[in-house]
Amino acid sequence: MGRVTARVPFALVGVLLLVGSTTFAGSLGGPTVSEPGVDRAMDRTEAATQSAVREAVTSAATEAARNPVTVPASSTFGVAISDESAFRDALRVRIYVAVRDRLDRISRQRDGVTVSASLPATPSGQALANATDRVAITRAGNHGTSLKVTVKNVSLTAHRDGNVVAERTVSPTVTVPVPTLAVHDRVSTFERQLNAGPGESGLGSRLTAKLYALTWARGFAQFGGAPIENVVANRHLGLLTNGIALSMQREQFGQSDPRGRSVLGWATAHTAITDTLSGSDNRVASLLSDAQSYAGRDTLSEDALSNSGATNPSVAPTDEITIAVNDTADLAFAKLLENLNGTIDRTYDARVQLRQRVVSETEHVVEKPREPGQDWDLLGIERDETRSVQSRDGAAPAIDRPWHRFEYHPRQVVVRTTTERRWETPSGQETTVEVREQRSDVDVSLVGRHDGGTVSDRPVETIHEFGGPLDGPNLKEVEPTARERLIGNQDIDALAVEALLMDGQTSTVTVEGTQPDGLYEVVYSDLRWVRELVRDLSITTTRGDLATLQVNPGEKLAKKLESRQEELLALPDSYGSIADRARFNARAAYLRTVLAELRKRATNHEKSQSNIDEKLEDRDLSGIDQVQDNYDDRGETAATSSLGLDMRVETAPSYLTLGELDGRSVPTLSPDVTTTPLVARNVNFFTVPYGDLAQGLAAGILGPNRVRLQTAVQTLKSVRNADEATRRNLSTNTRKLESETADALGHLNGQAATVVLGGTRADLGDSKAVVSSALGRWETTVGLGQAWLNGSAIEAVHDEVERRYDLSEPKSDQIKMGLRLATQLALASDFGQPPQPIVNKTSAKLKDLIRERLNSRLEDRVGDKLSDTVKRGLEKTTGRTLSRMPAGLPLAPPVTPWVTTVNYWEVEVRGEYNRFAVSVPRGTPDTPGARFTYVRDSGTVALDLDDDGTEERLGRTTRISFRAQTSVAIAVPPKPRGVGDVDGKMEEKSPGWPHPG
């Protein structure tokens, strides 16, 4: 566009010069005078600066991900980067340099004015540190996957003819969709968790949990006869470590290295773990894996262990375990029955209303009064009002559900008001008359709703007439009853007139419908059917997750029930009758009650977990406290939210092997370079028992802190199975323990009698007689205790009640369910648990007898040489020669060969990824396959920081490496085979130990 020239009057030029000189004189040393052309040039340059910053940030952030600085350089420029925030500081440096370089190329010229943008140079490390303070970075956008950057104090300078005519400082802020910080934070979290110890959330704690599951599975397989030389071998450590690492990749990045998953499957198949599980003694393994039952097992005989009732089919950590709602369904059912009648009643309650509403009003003057004269005085006013009501046409207005209309009466009420005013006038009295008429359209309605209960409102096929499964009246009497109670003898026209005074008000009453005979039984039968469905509702988890307390069954079952609630409720499109609605109302109330109980169960699980942790921490295992600490802390997991990015993980090597790899297996390596990505070491304490550890362990196994009826019964059975000398030494304790156990069983008997009393016509004496007769077949305390514990006593009492009394199906069901619940509550109460002192005293005295013999002979037993007398005694006791004794530490009581055999392993793994990359799609129409990639490997990161054409060292990028150390313990029943590594090696080290890479 050409320049437009205009003539300016000389007088105006003079004024401008005068004003300009005044402004100049008043601004010496201050800002430059603003000119429109200069401002426009500055604005354009500022816009260009914003674009330059965006391009620079995108480029710098992408490059920082390709070469992330994790360790600052020990150089002049390294002072700009701190150890704690090396990556972020280096990213700020890159952004500053990239922005500065792009600003140097910005220059805008207009009307002879040239505008440039700039940032200060960084000739030194301190200058660089000061400069990067200008750069602020933070995560932004959805899930923090974008990068928000502010570059402070960018200088814009305008020149004309070599002179500065304007200056401006701007601080552009841009947000770019580059997930550099988000991915770096995830990689940092992944690396931190790889290096987490057993007491933290990460590899250490998970490795502990997996090792416990694997050790118990393989240990019991070996114990059962499988040809396993090493219970815990380094190949297992490699398998578990890779599995956990891949799992953590999925948690942090949404997926794991696909080749790593493939090799993991291959490695799992070739460890032959699955082949060994079939030979394991699963019942005992399930018992001993319970943390609360672990200690004190040395007081039980082999028979007590084998009859413990633990029947889980496997000890493999990856085996699936099904956990059902079971008795929680009964507990919720019993609570609902307390108010089932109320639930049904609410269904038959109908709310009815009389509604009187003025729809519209009009008023007009029929006769206007004449105007009073100037000297008229008002003497008085008389009014006369007449009302008339007439029907009017009109459709009934819509009414909101769940209300529906019984009656509708549209009326028009006419109120005619005559007003007479008497006046005193100069010529005598005068009267003026005014007539006004108000017409009001009024609706008088009788409405009702019958949505009592919480089930959703739906049409009812038969509602105000007889019908339904019991041919009941439904709510047939609601409408006439409502009319009688709300309208009665009142005339509708009178109610219409009344509406003028009660506009919008309603009168509400509740009408109780008549319930048909047999309704309770129908509802109960339906609920019982739903209860059985809910009882069988289950979740599937793994033994490892459950054993390590990573799964809260109550919480999982509550979620499962919530997901199935609609299916179990099975609401129809319409209810057949009010009785039908009552049935679904009861279903809904029952499912809510089950959910509440499951949530209580979840809370109790959390409390139990806390109690278990507390008890484990309190146990002193004399020299192996770290083993117990690791056991206590194992199995923690990290909760990670999704970034909403399609992240792909690629590692080299994909699977961290214990062997040596070269460039043929790891593409990122040169052909002549080798690496050992994973190294491992494990030490089996008792391949040959050691005297000092044996002595400490013999004195360190303590009894359980909680005493349940099962513990008391098993302790009694263990004492009864002991030799005569032991029984004589324990006779006083045994009598007291048997008495206390009998008292606890008496409490269970009494609770059962209470259930019988409440469910039959029997009195208390007869109820006790029923229970006594049913339980007469168990003549000993131990036998009766086992009957209550395994459910046989409940079945016996229920069968006896049914034999003696003619019970309805609901009543029989209630008694059986009541017996189950009463037994649970009794076993959980103080009265149903024998006092702890006598159980502990009996157990401790038995242990003293064990220790007395064990401590006197254990040192000789595990020493290098044995006397002929000791050797013959051991051979007689164990039934085999010492030369055939397997690995493990046997803890032997006086008579039987062993109570239990224990063993321990200490393990450590160290690993390193040669290359670890995370990529995210960043395709565009021009580059549809482009990806953003974050890479961790080993190398120096350099950048031209002082703009001299030579790159300076900024820092180093390091490989992801880790180290995890933990320990694991196992205890098996008293059998000669024992448990442990039997290949003759106490310590196993993989090639390259202790340095991976």
Side-chain angles (χ1 to χ4, degrees):
M1 181 180 292
R3 178 175 299 175
V4 178
T5 304
R7 297 182 180 274
V8 181
F10 180 77
L12 178 58
V13 172
V15 171
L16 291 175
L17 289 174
L18 178 61
V19 173
S21 63
T22 304
T23 304
F24 176 76
S27 62
L28 289 176
T32 308
V33 178
S34 175
E35 299 179 30
V38 174
D39 287 344
R40 284 192 293 271
M42 294 285 275
D43 290 344
R44 291 192 176 187
T45 305
E46 183 175 346
T49 298
Q50 186 83 8
S51 299
V53 171
R54 182 180 301 278
E55 293 172 1
V57 168
T58 301
S59 174
T62 304
E63 188 61 30
R66 292 195 188 101
N67 295 282
V69 174
T70 56
V71 178
S74 300
S75 63
T76 301
F77 288 97
V79 300
I81 301 176
S82 68
D83 292 324
E84 294 77 15
S85 56
F87 179 80
R88 277 172 161 75
D89 288 349
L91 174 58
R92 290 164 59 223
V93 168
R94 281 189 179 277
I95 291 173
Y96 183 87
V97 173
V99 170
R100 185 183 63 194
D101 290 347
R102 278 173 171 74
L103 293 181
D104 287 345
R105 298 194 292 269
I106 290 179
S107 179
R108 291 292 183 270
Q109 186 172 3
R110 182 182 177 88
D111 297 336
V113 177
T114 301
V115 182
S116 60
S118 64
L119 285 171
T122 52
S124 66
Q126 189 57 52
L128 181 64
N130 295 338
T132 53
D133 287 341
R134 295 170 176 253
V135 180
I137 61 174
T138 185
R139 291 172 59 174
N142 192 24
H143 303 294
T145 55
S146 294
L147 179 62
K148 183 178 181 180
V149 177
T150 299
V151 181
K152 304 173 185 176
N153 300 329
V154 175
S155 297
L156 304 183
T157 306
H159 295 81
R160 177 188 288 141
D161 300 330
N163 297 318
V164 175
V165 295
E167 291 180 320
R168 185 187 297 178
T169 299
V170 296
S171 298
T173 296
V174 298
T175 299
V176 297
V178 182
T180 300
L181 286 181
V183 174
H184 171 76
D185 289 346
R186 283 300 168 98
V187 173
S188 298
T189 300
F190 173 72
E191 184 175 23
R192 184 170 60 254
Q193 290 189 349
L194 280 178
N195 284 280
E200 304 170 88
S201 177
L203 175 60
S205 61
R206 299 190 194 191
L207 183 60
T208 307
K210 297 292 186 182
L211 274 173
Y212 263 96
L214 177 138
T215 303
W216 282 66
R218 289 181 58 80
F220 274 91
Q222 183 197 61
F223 174 78
I228 296 176
E229 290 187 355
N230 280 14
V231 175
V232 178
N234 280 345
R235 66 179 180 275
H236 304 133
L237 300 181
L239 180 71
L240 296 181
T241 301
N242 276 277
I244 295 169
L246 289 167
S247 176
M248 291 166 60
Q249 288 177 23
R250 288 194 298 273
E251 292 172 0
Q252 295 298 329
F253 309 110
Q255 59 176 289
S256 56
D257 186 290
R259 180 169 174 78
R261 294 196 302 271
S262 175
V263 179
L264 177 66
W266 181 90
T268 302
H270 286 74
T271 57
I273 294 177
T274 305
D275 295 336
T276 66
L277 292 179
S278 59
S280 61
D281 188 338
N282 297 313
R283 292 188 302 157
V284 179
S286 178
L287 169 67
L288 295 182
S289 66
D290 183 351
Q292 295 190 78
S293 302
Y294 172 82
R297 290 296 154 188
D298 56 329
T299 65
L300 302 180
S301 67
E302 176 187 351
D303 190 43
L305 288 172
S306 63
N307 289 285
S308 64
T311 57
N312 285 350
S314 177
V315 293
T318 55
D319 284 349
E320 290 187 341
I321 297 176
T322 299
I323 305 170
V325 175
N326 290 333
D327 292 342
T328 303
D330 292 344
L331 180 60
F333 196 88
K335 290 192 173 184
L336 179 67
L337 290 184
E338 295 174 1
N339 194 33
L340 180 57
N341 283 319
T343 301
I344 297 174
D345 291 344
R346 283 190 290 275
T347 309
Y348 276 82
D349 287 346
R351 293 175 61 201
V352 291
Q353 287 183 351
L354 175 64
R355 296 180 178 178
Q356 300 159 271
R357 294 178 179 172
V358 177
V359 179
S360 64
E361 287 184 336
T362 60
E363 186 178 23
H364 67 280
V365 178
V366 177
E367 181 181 339
K368 291 183 65 175
R370 59 194 174 100
E371 291 294 331
Q374 185 174 2
D375 297 327
W376 290 20
D377 293 327
L378 183 64
L379 297 177
I381 300 176
E382 292 185 3
R383 286 190 175 88
D384 180 50
E385 188 175 270
T386 62
R387 298 181 180 87
S388 63
V389 181
Q390 61 187 13
S391 297
R392 62 179 175 84
D393 295 330
I399 186 171
D400 293 337
R401 288 186 60 85
W403 293 96
H404 63 281
R405 186 177 286 105
F406 295 139
E407 297 182 15
Y408 173 62
H409 305 283
R411 294 288 188 270
Q412 186 178 74
V413 180
V414 179
V415 179
R416 189 181 185 93
T417 304
T418 301
T419 304
E420 293 184 353
R421 295 178 177 85
R422 291 182 295 105
W423 305 88
E424 183 67 43
T425 71
S427 59
Q429 290 189 359
E430 295 285 347
T431 299
T432 61
V433 178
E434 179 186 31
V435 180
R436 290 180 175 271
E437 192 173 85
Q438 176 182 298
R439 295 179 177 270
S440 301
D441 288 346
V442 177
D443 285 346
V444 178
S445 301
L446 188 64
V447 299
R449 60 186 295 174
H450 43 75
D451 58 336
T454 58
V455 74
S456 62
D457 181 50
R458 300 189 179 195
V460 182
E461 295 173 8
T462 55
I463 182 168
H464 296 298
E465 65 273 359
F466 281 91
L470 300 170
D471 197 27
N474 290 305
L475 300 178
K476 180 177 177 60
E477 69 271 38
V478 167
E479 184 175 350
T481 304
R483 178 171 242 285
E484 179 181 352
R485 295 176 61 181
L486 290 174
I487 297 178
N489 296 323
Q490 298 181 81
D491 182 73
I492 297 298
D493 288 351
L495 292 175
V497 172
E498 188 180 71
L500 301 181
L501 300 176
M502 301 179 61
D503 181 25
Q505 297 187 34
T506 59
S507 301
T508 305
V509 297
T510 299
V511 178
E512 297 177 3
T514 302
Q515 300 175 19
D517 294 337
L519 177 60
Y520 184 91
E521 287 73 15
V522 168
V523 172
Y524 187 99
S525 178
D526 182 74
L527 281 178
R528 183 181 178 185
W529 175 74
V530 175
R531 183 191 71 196
E532 295 310 308
L533 294 178
V534 172
R535 277 183 64 87
D536 293 338
L537 199 65
S538 63
I539 61 167
T540 300
T541 184
T542 63
R543 178 179 175 82
D545 285 344
L546 188 63
T548 56
L549 304 180
Q550 296 185 57
V551 172
N552 185 325
E555 180 183 8
K556 293 282 188 182
L557 286 168
K559 290 181 179 179
K560 182 68 173 287
L561 180 56
E562 285 177 333
S563 69
R564 294 280 305 278
Q565 192 168 6
E566 184 175 343
E567 176 186 345
L568 290 167
L569 191 55
L571 290 179
D573 293 334
S574 62
Y575 304 113
S577 62
I578 297 301
D580 201 26
R581 182 182 172 89
R583 183 165 58 90
F584 287 104
N585 255 333
R587 279 192 192 184
Y590 173 64
L591 293 175
R592 287 196 307 275
T593 308
V594 177
L595 275 174
E597 293 304 316
L598 286 174
R599 292 188 179 110
K600 288 182 183 178
R601 182 169 162 180
T603 301
N604 290 336
H605 176 89
E606 294 174 357
K607 292 179 180 178
S608 296
Q609 178 176 340
S610 177
N611 291 338
I612 290 172
D613 290 343
E614 192 175 313
K615 293 181 188 306
L616 291 172
E617 290 174 359
D618 290 343
R619 284 183 184 159
D620 180 9
L621 292 183
S622 182
I624 56 169
D625 55 332
Q626 187 59 56
V627 175
Q628 190 61 46
D629 287 343
N630 294 344
Y631 180 88
D632 184 28
D633 293 328
R634 73 197 189 284
E636 296 181 5
T637 60
T640 306
S641 60
S642 172
L643 285 178
L645 296 175
D646 180 18
M647 292 182 283
R648 185 169 66 196
V649 178
E650 295 178 302
T651 64
S654 299
Y655 185 92
L656 302 174
T657 67
L658 290 166
E660 191 175 80
L661 301 176
D662 56 24
R664 291 174 298 178
S665 302
V666 184
T668 56
L669 290 176
S670 301
D672 57 342
V673 176
T674 61
T675 182
T676 306
L678 187 70
V679 294
R681 169 181 176 266
N682 83 81
V683 180
N684 182 207
F685 288 1
F686 301 123
T687 51
V688 177
Y690 287 88
D692 53 348
L693 292 176
Q695 183 72 22
L697 288 170
I701 303 297
L702 305 179
N705 292 324
R706 289 184 60 188
V707 178
R708 296 172 292 181
L709 180 63
Q710 181 177 3
T711 303
V713 171
Q714 288 178 331
T715 303
L716 273 177
K717 188 174 182 181
S718 180
V719 173
R720 294 300 185 192
N721 291 334
D723 64 294
E724 184 178 351
T726 301
R727 290 199 301 271
R728 282 198 305 270
N729 286 329
L730 290 171
S731 59
T732 303
N733 296 45
T734 304
R735 286 193 297 270
K736 179 64 174 173
L737 175 58
E738 185 147 9
S739 173
E740 296 289 358
T741 305
D743 288 345
L745 292 173
H747 177 62
L748 268 70
N749 296 351
Q751 293 302 301
T754 301
V755 173
V756 176
L757 176 67
T760 67
R761 62 180 181 274
D763 59 19
L764 182 59
D766 289 339
S767 298
K768 290 181 177 179
V770 168
V771 174
S772 178
S773 175
L775 303 180
R777 72 188 72 169
W778 292 287
E779 299 178 353
T780 66
T781 303
V782 171
L784 181 58
Q786 289 178 327
W788 276 116
L789 292 169
N790 62 27
S792 300
I794 294 173
E795 294 292 338
V797 173
H798 180 255
D799 290 345
E800 183 69 14
V801 173
E802 283 201 317
R803 188 182 67 82
R804 294 195 183 199
Y805 302 99
D806 183 19
L807 302 176
S808 66
E809 183 180 345
K811 186 60 67 177
S812 176
D813 178 69
Q814 287 181 47
I815 289 175
K816 190 171 186 177
M817 183 184 64
L819 287 171
R820 286 199 300 259
L821 293 175
T823 302
Q824 288 182 25
L825 295 174
L827 289 172
S829 69
D830 291 340
F831 298 107
Q833 296 180 351
Q836 188 178 35
I838 183 59
V839 179
N840 284 352
K841 187 175 181 180
T842 305
S843 176
K845 191 164 185 179
L846 180 59
K847 291 178 185 179
D848 287 342
L849 294 173
I850 296 172
R851 292 189 184 105
E852 183 178 345
R853 181 166 180 171
L854 176 63
N855 289 337
S856 64
R857 304 175 67 186
L858 191 56
E859 293 294 339
D860 291 336
R861 185 174 185 173
V862 300
D864 292 335
K865 296 181 180 180
L866 299 176
S867 67
D868 291 340
T869 303
V870 173
K871 185 173 183 179
R872 284 194 300 271
L874 289 175
E875 288 176 347
K876 180 179 178 181
T877 304
T878 64
R880 52 175 30 192
T881 62
L882 184 62
S883 62
R884 297 179 62 195
M885 185 179 293
L889 175 68
L891 302 179
V895 179
T896 57
W898 293 288
V899 171
T900 186
T901 299
V902 297
N903 218 325
Y904 305 92
W905 285 261
E906 182 178 275
V907 304
E908 184 174 353
V909 292
R910 302 181 185 184
E912 180 180 271
Y913 288 100
N914 186 263
R915 184 177 187 271
F916 189 95
V918 179
S919 61
V920 179
R922 286 201 62 202
T924 65
D926 295 332
T927 58
R931 297 187 71 88
F932 164 89
T933 305
Y934 178 99
V935 181
R936 286 286 298 277
D937 51 18
S938 180
T940 300
V941 180
L943 191 66
D944 186 3
L945 302 172
D946 56 5
D947 206 21
D948 63 354
T950 303
E951 291 186 339
E952 287 76 32
R953 283 188 300 115
L954 191 60
R956 292 186 294 113
T957 180
T958 56
R959 294 171 178 168
I960 290 182
S961 60
F962 59 89
R963 173 182 178 181
Q965 182 177 12
T966 188
S967 54
V968 64
I970 189 173
V972 298
K975 293 288 184 178
R977 184 177 293 274
V979 65
D981 295 343
V982 294
D983 63 350
K985 295 180 180 178
M986 181 179 180
E987 182 178 38
E988 181 186 2
K989 295 179 181 178
S990 70
W993 176 266
H995 304 296

